[in-house]
């Protein structure tokens, strides 16, 4: 009986960055949802359930990217993961609504942690994508 290869063709350090971003975004969104009244100038229509829904939608983008990589669509998967990481910069929108000084310390920590983790994942994704595309180019053109 053939064995299934359940591993992703990605370095463990890269998967650790993806996990760190996942956890940082969960921390930020959970804090946002549970302390929604503490975040200054958020729209009145925004509910905790919607915040959790947004996190699930965001996370689905990352899961889709990983699924594409696993299915052998590495370039497309890395592009999707890059988009997932770029979405992590949306947390900076809190500072467009109100300056950092008006947010609680924990809010600032969760926002900035998410953004930092997103930046690291985005940089690593870009590096992996370039490396992958160069390897494909060399395989085709022998360079």
């Amino acid at each position: 009986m053939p064995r299934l290869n359940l591993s992703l063709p990605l370095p463990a350090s890269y998967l650790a960055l993806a996990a760190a971003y996942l956890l940082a975004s969960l921390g930020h969104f959970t804090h946002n949802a549970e302390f929604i009244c503490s975040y200054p100038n958020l729209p009145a229509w925004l509910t905790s359930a919607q915040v959790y829904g947004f996190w699930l939608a965001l996370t689905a983008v990352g899961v889709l990217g990983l699924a594409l990589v696993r299915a052998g669509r590495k370039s497309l998967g890395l592009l999707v993961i890059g988009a997932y990481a770029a979405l992590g910069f949306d947390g900076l929108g809190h500072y467009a609504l109100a300056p950092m000084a008006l947010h609680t310390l924990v809010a600032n920590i969760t926002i900035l942690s998410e953004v930092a983790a997103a930046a690291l994942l985005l940089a690593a994704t870009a590096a992996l994508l370039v490396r992958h595309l160069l390897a494909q180019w060399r395989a085709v053109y022998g360079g």
Side-chain angles (χ1 to χ4, degrees), residues 20-36 39 42 46 48 51-52 54-55 58 87-95 103-118:
Y21 171 56
L22 173 83
L23 293 173
S25 70
L26 177 60
H28 172 223
F29 276 77
T30 298
H31 187 268
N32 200 331
E34 297 303 316
F35 299 98
I36 200 162
Y39 282 79
L42 284 181
L46 189 61
S48 293
V51 171
Y52 284 120
F54 292 142
W55 182 80
L58 170 77
L87 289 169
F89 291 95
D90 187 58
L92 293 173
H94 285 292
Y95 301 130
H103 290 80
T104 67
L105 176 62
V106 175
N108 284 316
I109 289 170
T110 64
I111 292 166
L112 296 175
S113 295
E114 180 185 26
V115 170

Side-chain angles (χ1 to χ4, degrees), residues 65-133:
L66 289 173
L68 287 166
V69 169
R70 185 162 183 191
R73 305 289 312 265
K74 194 167 186 179
S75 297
L76 180 59
L78 288 171
L79 284 171
V80 172
I81 295 169
Y84 167 64
L87 289 169
F89 291 95
D90 187 58
L92 293 173
H94 285 292
Y95 301 130
L97 297 175
M100 189 179 279
L102 292 182
H103 290 80
T104 67
L105 176 62
V106 175
N108 284 316
I109 289 170
T110 64
I111 292 166
L112 296 175
S113 295
E114 180 185 26
V115 170
L120 291 172
L121 180 60
L122 184 58
T125 301
L128 274 179
L129 181 59
V130 167
R131 191 176 318 154
H132 174 68
L133 292 175

